[in-house]
Amino acid sequence: VGGRLVCRRYSRPRRQLMLHKVVKQVAAGAVVEVLVDNPSSVEALPPLCNELNATHLETIKDPACWRVYIKKD
């Protein structure tokens, strides 16, 4: 994992801004792990990948959160 973003307890606009910043900072091909605890975030992040020049790889449900893996193209 090239980067990690913990977005627990954040509202939607802030999560998106944070993800934009992290994806911009990592190198092409790097994978960013995003930890979210809100179901709407789980649904919103994969479509956001198109704007970020990134690819949604996988979403895993853990007991406390979801782990969303995004690869920068």
Side-chain angles (χ1 to χ4, degrees):
V1 175
R4 177 182 246 189
L5 178 59
V6 179
C7 292
R8 295 183 199 168
R9 299 187 182 111
Y10 287 124
S11 63
R12 185 175 174 198
R14 182 153 186 196
R15 289 186 301 259
Q16 292 176 338
L17 292 172
M18 293 169 67
L19 181 59
H20 274 276
K21 183 177 178 180
V22 169
V23 170
K24 187 176 181 180
Q25 293 174 346
V26 299
V31 175
V32 176
E33 177 184 50
V34 185
L35 305 179
V36 294
D37 60 357
N38 185 315
S40 67
S41 296
V42 175
E43 295 174 4
L45 292 178
L48 183 62
C49 289
N50 289 333
E51 294 176 31
L52 300 173
N53 293 321
T55 303
H56 172 251
L57 298 175
E58 182 176 24
T59 299
I60 299 171
K61 174 68 170 114
D62 281 346
C65 67
W66 284 270
R67 296 175 183 271
V68 182
Y69 293 92
I70 295 172
K71 179 181 173 185
K72 183 174 181 179
D73 294 336

